[in-house]
């Protein structure tokens, strides 16, 4: 049918199929920033456009309906080379982070201010009520509107955007625009899907309907006859190379327990076959014609089922060790089952036992725990459960791969480009010099894109077919075939004295890793290693076991296991305070660590190797607790004017890490170009959090040159040097420090070259703004242009290029305290988070406005995890909540009425310009703070996520 | 997969196409949505029929009282912004949390799909709303919403051209339970004062619709599901019925003149300031 409409003021005509959606038509028109995050669910709002001046979801409009209409899309908000006031305000407020739907948010705010120039907070909330923001939270949207209003009225901002730190520096610690902000908010090409070749094939996957089954046979004969089908990949025609999808170190502390395709499927949604075809429709049609004969097996879904005697085994194949094999391995392997089980290969011992479904384990202790419990005046002992949670990034997992001049080129939305290259190399057999990974902008990661979940297969498909191949998860596949947060059972025993001192802590962690062992040791280990060191306690014991099950896979998720360990430990501490009759705040202040305290407990918590005992470094924990208690009026009982609602308060201490000392590794190359500008090649993978901006800001500060003369190229394996990737809060600390190292080295080289060119001594020279060398002795000045031009003109020493590497044994730990005030309805069990205050010591926040938004975003995520987000499975392991509506994520409506993020001013000794990590730690506090507040409100302890109204009512005895 | 889409010029053409198997399409938030319950390949788009875009006072032949007629393509947001629309219906429209979806979704569409997580149907059942419908043969009639919902075999194929709400309805109080504001509601209940009595409309996800005298909860067939256990839902239905009935009997619900005397939404967000 024919459609004539006005798109961003230009008359357009289309001949379309009746079923085409408006978003698809706009994509054809080049408005690719009208994106799809929810497979036409009308939930996330990435597809928002204005139709005749009214915001609508373009995926829910048939293109034919737009005939005669005027359409405005986000890319029409500003002219090329310019940026609108609203778009700039969003960047300045720190909101443009992973930014997959930032253009849509900018469109909504523009519409709001055009139709209502003086909106109230409720008006803003209403305008944004149909857009899901996972990265930066919602709070700074109110600020962005205010900034835009000020700019429109006065031509400048008068509101403070964020606090500034370190007045002695001009760039670092000051709110400034994120360098990739304009590209992202304007909806320019940025994400994998924007770089797909027009002749690309599409790949779709046939996935298992069974939680556990052997594959007897796969008949692809009918599917292969579908016109346009290029190849069908199965376990029968792909390499039997065992590997691990976790992008973490090498060798990994995770078992190699999977191939591209296996002859045993281990969860509903597991890979069975991949169809590569010239069109998406042909690929889907062929997929539906594949016949699979399964031998269905019994399955296990919980750690309790997995640990039961005689439980069905998730893996029962041959076990191999690359090092440290036990002496009885040959005997052990005699118990192996069907050859279709495949193999499990350990890089080093993880204390696993697949015949008991144990994927990894660890235990350790300090002091005399039993004696300390015996000496306690009171002991609490309880179990805290957490459920399976999805990252829900707005951009699903997506990959485009092609062969080019004999090399595999992979466009990846990843946190770990170098691990993607390594694993693509393993599955294809190509050496690393024949693989080029191009990390695009990442539309939301949160740990999900630390795992190489789609790049392995897409890369192999391009390699095997020689054709360009594009793959994108559906939203349902994001739930059933991705990595998720490990469900855990955290058992805590804690003893204390009447004076409030804690004598002993015992922590038993049982984690459910699903069918594969991605991060199976490190995630639960973080439950202990990033929680127990909060306590000044000499007697502590931990015992952790990780079980294989047939649930959807688990893996890395922002915070790893720390949110769950923190939930258990802090709830137990509050329960102990209650039992001892102590004030919880006093107990916290009596037992938390302070700078210099030696963390003996870390000795055994070293990610599969011996850990390092280190003292507590810079620590703003006490200040966070005291300041937060003042803010929330700790100790003052609030009373609702409605007797059905009771109000309570709670808080939790939190900590995390800043990368993995001794394991992580970052590099950067700073190049002074011939015109005196700088290109900094950072191995770090900016996943929207502002890492590139950090590199640019530290370069600007060190080299005293303006930001606009600095370009960051990052995460490209051809042009940048190795970096272990952005995970475990390593970005700022490791990659940022590598940028510092390269720029400091370059500064030395510039001074040396200038001394040569000026025929002066280096000691007499200094770097001055805006990028020049000045002689304190002669008063002469050479600009970077003059220095570099001369250096590269035959008479100098060649281009000035500095390579910086950062490794360390030092540990920079961020601390904080999160506070919640909740109202609980005693009749219905409903919970409302009224106030939330997040106070964190992040060292020097290099990008303070971005840091604050990351705290808001992480807290919102954690409020969701604590109260409603939950992947529910039926008895056969099928996910019943595989879309956004059923799963339930926090929208702006769910945000606390009073929500504040506060940065505690602490300077770290080891971080770049004193910086520590920020966003991961912000996932740790909400669950215990809310759980403790619920108890304060209605007197019951809810010891499992999500803390639902039904659980509260049951705990209150209102439902049997 | 939509194979045919015809942009209707008037109701007559719509009804005629429906007789040929076409399904009406208005806001698109149900028909075009992931996992839509509306099956079909041929659709008639009614969004450009001017007659269906109005909200106006209406007197029904043979029916006492005055009514507001809300046309089939009027959206939730249109209703919220219109002064004629009663407060309780605006409140029910606001249960749809997303403004963007409210800009698209139509009241009649929400009724026509008979979703058991409906935002509107409980309040409209409680308030004895009516529908202006066309049969497949083009015959116009006014039927009760209750008949339309509970007699699906008879009215399933009718075209809902307008919603009719009585302007003289007494206080209406309502409550919706959902995991988040954007999640499907698992229990939505409304109570309306009807003389000395109280009429309750209820929809329960995975169980269906109910309309009953507010003095007693009827037997509702409940299921354990992702929203909670049977015991939880039974408990909620009981306490909510008591609360809502007490609220309207104390005349503290939403009135049809648009003013909101009710406290339901305040209670929902917690009492503390």
């Amino acid at each position: 049918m024919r459609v004539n409409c006005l798109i961003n003021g230009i008359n357009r005509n289309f001949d379309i199929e009746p079923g085409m959606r408006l978003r698809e038509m706009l994509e054809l028109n080049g408005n690719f920033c009208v994106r799809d995050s929810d497979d036409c669910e009308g939930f996330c709002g990435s597809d928002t456009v204005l139709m005749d001046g009214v915001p609508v979801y373009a995926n829910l409009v048939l293109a034919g309906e737009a005939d005669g209409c005027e359409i405005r899309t986000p890319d029409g908000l500003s002219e090329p080379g310019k940026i609108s006031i609203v778009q700039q305000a969003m960047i300045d407020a720190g909101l443009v982070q992973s930014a997959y739907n930032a253009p849509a948010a900018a469109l909504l705010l523009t519409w709001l201010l055009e139709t209502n120039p003086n909106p109230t907070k409720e008006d803003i909330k209403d305008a944004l009520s149909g857009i899901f923001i996972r990265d930066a939270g919602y709070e700074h949207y109110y600020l962005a509107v205010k900034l835009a209003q000020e700019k429109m009225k006065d031509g400048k901002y008068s509101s403070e955007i964020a606090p500034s730190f370190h007045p002695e520096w001009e760039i670092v610690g000051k709110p400034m625009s994120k360098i990739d902000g304009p590209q992202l908010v304007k909806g320019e090409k940025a994400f994998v899907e924007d770089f797909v070749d027009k002749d690309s094939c599409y790949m779709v996957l046939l996935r298992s309907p069974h939680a556990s089954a052997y594959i007897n046979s796969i008949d692809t004969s009918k599917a292969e006859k579908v016109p346009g089908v290029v190849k069908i990949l199965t376990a029968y025609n792909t390499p039997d190379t065992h590997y691990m999808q976790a992008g973490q170190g090498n060798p990994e502390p995770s078992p190699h327990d999977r191939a591209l395709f296996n002859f045993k499927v281990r969860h509903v949604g597991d890979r069975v076959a991949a169809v590569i075809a010239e069109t998406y429709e042909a690929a889907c049609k062929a997929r539906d014609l594949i016949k699979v004969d399964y031998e269905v097996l019994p399955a296990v879904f919980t750690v309790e089922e997995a640990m039961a005697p005689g439980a069905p085994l998730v893996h029962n194949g041959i076990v191999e060790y690359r090092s440290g094999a036990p002496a009885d391995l040959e005997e052990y392997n005699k118990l192996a089952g069907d050859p279709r089980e495949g193999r499990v290969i350990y890089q080093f011992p993880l204390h696993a036992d697949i015949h008991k479904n144990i994927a990894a384990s660890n235990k350790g202790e300090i002091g005399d725990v039993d004696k300390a419990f015996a000496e306690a005046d009171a002991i609490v002992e309880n179990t805290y459960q957490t459920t399976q949670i999805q990252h829900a990034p707005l951009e699903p997992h997506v990959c485009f791969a092609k062969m080019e001049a004999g090399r595999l080129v992979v466009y990846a939305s990843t946190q770990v480009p170098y691990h993607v290259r390594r694993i693509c190399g393993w599955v294809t057999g190509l050496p690393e010099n024949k693989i080029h990974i191009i990390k695009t902008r990442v539309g939301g990661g949160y740990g999900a894109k630390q795992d190489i979940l789609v790049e392995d297969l897409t890369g192999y498909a391009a390699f095997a077919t020689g054709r360009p191949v594009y793959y994108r998860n559906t939203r349902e596949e994001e739930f059933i075939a991705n990595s998720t947060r490990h469900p855990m059972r955290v058992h805590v025993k804690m003893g204390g004295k009447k004076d409030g001192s804690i004598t002993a802590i015992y922590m038993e962690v049982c984690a459910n890793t699903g069918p594969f062992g991605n991060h199976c040791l490190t995630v639960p280990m973080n439950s202990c290693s990033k929680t127990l060191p909060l306590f000044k306690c000499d007697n502590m014991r931990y015992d952790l076991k990780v079980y294989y099950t047939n649930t959807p896979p688990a893996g890395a998720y922002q915070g790893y296991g720390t949110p769950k360990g923190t939930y258990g430990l802090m709830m137990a501490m509050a329960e102990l305070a209650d039992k001892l009759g102590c004030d919880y705040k006093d107990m916290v202040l009596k037992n938390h660590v302070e700078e210099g305290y030696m963390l003996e407990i870390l000795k055994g918590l070293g990610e599969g190797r011996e850990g390092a005992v280190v003292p507590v470094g810079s620590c703003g924990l006490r200040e966070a607790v005291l300041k937060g208690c003042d803010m929330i009026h700790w100790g003052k009982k609030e009373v609702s004017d409605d007797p059905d609602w009771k109000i309570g308060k709670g808080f939790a201490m939190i900590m995390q890490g800043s990368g993995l000392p001794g394991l992580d590794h970052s590099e950067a190359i700073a190049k002074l170009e011939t015109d005196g500008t700088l290109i900094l090649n950072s191995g770090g993978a900016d996943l929207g959090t502002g890492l590139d901006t950090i590199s640019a800001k530290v370069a600007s500060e060190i080299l005293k040159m303006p930001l606009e003369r600095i370009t960051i190229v990052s995460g490209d394996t051809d042009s940048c040097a190795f970096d272990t990737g952005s995970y475990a809060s390593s970005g700022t600390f490791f990659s940022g420090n590598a940028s510092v190292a390269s720029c400091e080295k370059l500064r030395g080289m510039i001074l040396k070259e200038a001394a040569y060119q000026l025929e002066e001594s280096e000691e007499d020279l200094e770097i001055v703004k805006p990028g020049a060398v000045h002689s304190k002795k002669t008063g002469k000045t050479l600009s970077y242009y003059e220095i570099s031009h001369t250096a590269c003109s035959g008479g100098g020493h060649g281009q000035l290029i500095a390579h910086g590497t950062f490794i360390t044994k030092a540990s920079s730990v961020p601390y904080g305290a999160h506070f919640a005030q909740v109202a609980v309805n005693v009749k219905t069990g409903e919970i409302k988070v009224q106030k939330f205050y997040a106070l964190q010591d992040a060292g020097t926040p290099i990008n303070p406005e971005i840091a604050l938004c990351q705290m808001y975003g992480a807290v919102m995520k954690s409020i969701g995890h604590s109260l409603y987000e939950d992947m529910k499975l039926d008895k056969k392991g099928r996910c019943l909540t595989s879309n956004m509506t059923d799963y339930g994520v926090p929208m702006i409506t769910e945000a606390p009425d009073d929500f504040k993020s506060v940065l505690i001013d602490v300077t770290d000794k080891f971080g770049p310009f004193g910086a520590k990590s920020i966003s991961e730690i912000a996932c740790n506090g909400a669950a215990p703070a809310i759980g403790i507040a619920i108890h304060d409100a209605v007197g019951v302890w809810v010891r499992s996520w999500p803390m639902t109204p039904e659980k509260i009512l049951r705990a209150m005895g209102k439902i049997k | 997969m939509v194979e045919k889409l015809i942009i209707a010029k008037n109701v007559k053409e719509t009804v005629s196409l429906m007789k040929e198997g076409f399904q009406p399409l208005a806001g698109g938030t149900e028909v075009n949505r992931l996992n839509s319950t509306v099956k079909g390949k041929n659709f008639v788009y009614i969004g450009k029929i001017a007659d269906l875009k109005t909200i106006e006072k209406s007197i029904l032949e043979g029916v006492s009282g005055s009514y507001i007629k809300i046309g089939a393509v009027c959206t939730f947001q249109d209703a919220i912004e219109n002064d004629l629309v009663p407060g309780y219906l605006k409140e029910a429209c606001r249960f749809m949390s997303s403004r963007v979806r409210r800009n698209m979704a139509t009241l009649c569409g929400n009724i026509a799909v008979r979703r058991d997580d409906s935002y509107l149907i409980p309040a409209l059942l409680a308030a004895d709303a009516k529908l202006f419908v066309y049969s497949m043969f083009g015959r116009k009639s006014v039927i009760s919403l209750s008949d339309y919902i509970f007699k699906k075999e008879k009215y399933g194929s009718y075209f809902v051209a307008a919603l009719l709400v009585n302007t003289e309805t007494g206080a209406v109080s309502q409550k919706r339970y959902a995991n988040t504001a954007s999640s499907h509601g698992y229990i939505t209940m409304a109570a309306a004062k009807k003389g000395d009595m109280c009429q309750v409309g209820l929809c329960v996800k995975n169980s269906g619709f109910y309309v009953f005298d507010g003095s007693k909860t009827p037997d509702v067939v409940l299921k354990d599901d992702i929203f909670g256990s049977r015991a939880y839902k039974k408990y909620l239905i009981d306490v909510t019925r008591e609360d809502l009935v007490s609220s309207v009997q104390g005349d503290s619900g939403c009135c049809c003149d648009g003013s909101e005397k009710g406290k339901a939404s305040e209670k929902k967000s917690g009492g503390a300031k």
Side-chain angles (χ1 to χ4, degrees), chain A residues 694-951:
Chain A
I694 285 172
S695 291
K697 283 170 97 168
V698 299
S700 174
E701 195 73 55
I702 292 166
L703 298 170
K704 296 190 187 301
M705 58 193 295
L707 276 173
E708 58 270 20
R709 292 175 68 78
I710 298 167
T711 292
I712 307 297
V713 175
S714 64
D716 180 303
T717 57
D718 269 14
S719 56
C720 305
F722 181 77
D723 188 297
T724 37
S726 291
Y727 57 84
S729 291
S730 63
T732 300
F733 189 72
F734 274 85
S735 305
N737 257 327
S739 293
V740 168
S742 68
C743 290
E744 284 179 342
K745 199 184 270 186
L746 182 65
R747 180 175 59 191
M749 293 169 79
I750 291 170
L751 286 170
K752 190 176 178 185
E753 178 64 21
Y756 168 72
Q757 291 179 16
L758 288 167
E759 298 183 281
E760 293 195 43
S761 165
E762 272 182 66
E763 289 71 44
D764 295 328
L765 303 179
E766 61 181 348
I767 298 279
V768 294
K769 289 195 297 185
V773 175
H774 174 255
S775 168
K776 292 175 276 188
K777 190 175 168 189
T778 64
K780 286 183 187 168
T781 298
L782 277 182
S783 70
Y784 285 175
Y785 161 70
E786 290 167 313
I787 296 166
S788 189
H789 180 76
T790 306
C792 296
S793 297
H797 294 109
Q799 187 169 15
L800 301 182
I801 302 174
H803 174 208
T805 299
F806 183 74
I807 53 167
T808 185
K809 293 265 168 82
S811 191
S812 289
V813 175
Y815 292 95
H818 283 191
F819 293 77
Q821 178 177 307
V822 304
V824 181
N825 188 304
V826 291
K827 269 190 184 168
T828 63
E830 289 164 290
I831 311 151
K832 168 79 181 167
V833 181
Q834 297 180 315
K835 297 181 180 178
F836 202 99
Y837 302 145
L839 295 94
Q840 287 175 212
D841 141 29
T844 304
I846 294 177
N847 304 319
E849 78 287 17
I850 296 173
L852 290 174
C853 286
Q854 278 169 29
M855 289 164 69
Y856 286 121
V859 168
M860 279 308 294
K861 240 183 255 128
S862 309
I863 288 175
H865 301 173
S866 306
L867 295 180
Y868 31 80
E869 291 189 41
D870 190 4
M871 283 176 60
K872 293 191 173 81
L873 306 182
D874 69 9
K875 288 178 183 169
K876 292 186 172 180
R878 294 174 296 210
C879 183
L880 301 171
T881 53
S882 58
N883 60 59
M884 292 296 203
T885 311
D886 288 335
Y887 175 69
V889 288
M891 306 291 275
I892 195 168
T893 326
E894 274 71 39
D897 296 330
D898 181 359
F899 197 0
K900 290 185 180 73
S901 288
V902 177
L903 292 160
I904 302 292
D905 191 358
V906 170
T907 301
D908 187 68
K909 201 158 81 178
F910 306 106
F913 287 83
K916 297 193 270 189
S917 68
I918 286 164
S919 68
E920 241 194 328
I921 180 179
C923 281
N924 300 343
I930 290 170
I932 293 165
I934 290 171
H935 175 262
D936 187 42
V938 293
V940 298
W941 298 104
V942 182
R943 300 190 184 98
S944 66
W945 291 5
M947 294 177 261
T948 62
E950 179 169 359
K951 287 179 186 169

Side-chain angles (χ1 to χ4, degrees), chain A residues 1 18-19 21 38-43 54-57 59-62 64-65 67 69 108 111 126 129-130 640-642 645 647 827-828 830 832 834 868 872 880-881 883 885-886 888-889 891 893-894 949-950 953-954 958-959, chain B residues 1-5 7 25-29 32-35 45 48 77 97-104 175-177 179-184 186 226-229 231-232 235-236 239-240 243 266-273:
Chain A
M1 60 191 296
R21 293 166 191 267
D38 52 26
D39 298 344
C40 308
E41 198 186 343
F43 190 96
V54 177
V56 298
Y57 295 131
N59 260 330
L60 300 189
V61 177
L62 291 181
E65 298 174 35
D67 187 43
C69 294
L108 282 166
W111 165 79
D126 185 53
S129 56
S640 166
D641 52 11
D642 182 334
W645 289 89
I647 296 170
K827 269 190 184 168
T828 63
E830 289 164 290
K832 168 79 181 167
Q834 297 180 315
Y868 31 80
K872 293 191 173 81
L880 301 171
T881 53
N883 60 59
T885 311
D886 288 335
V889 288
M891 306 291 275
T893 326
E894 274 71 39
E950 179 169 359
L953 291 170
R954 284 190 187 280
K958 301 211 171 188
I959 308 174
Chain B
M1 183 70 180
V2 178
E3 290 182 359
K4 279 188 186 169
L5 176 69
I7 314 292
L25 165 65
T29 55
N32 295 329
R33 184 182 183 182
L34 177 74
N35 302 326
Y45 179 60
K48 297 196 191 273
Q77 191 61 28
S97 172
S98 162
R99 170 62 183 269
V100 181
R101 197 182 290 177
R102 288 202 311 267
N103 288 337
M104 305 175 74
K175 177 87 181 170
R176 177 176 182 264
Y177 295 93
N179 288 336
T180 70
S182 304
S183 305
H184 298 306
Y186 49 91
I226 60 169
F227 303 104
S229 68
Y232 168 59
Y235 169 85
L236 270 192
V239 298
T240 307
D243 249 16
E266 277 185 32
K267 280 184 184 173
K268 196 176 153 207
S269 60
K273 300 285 181 278

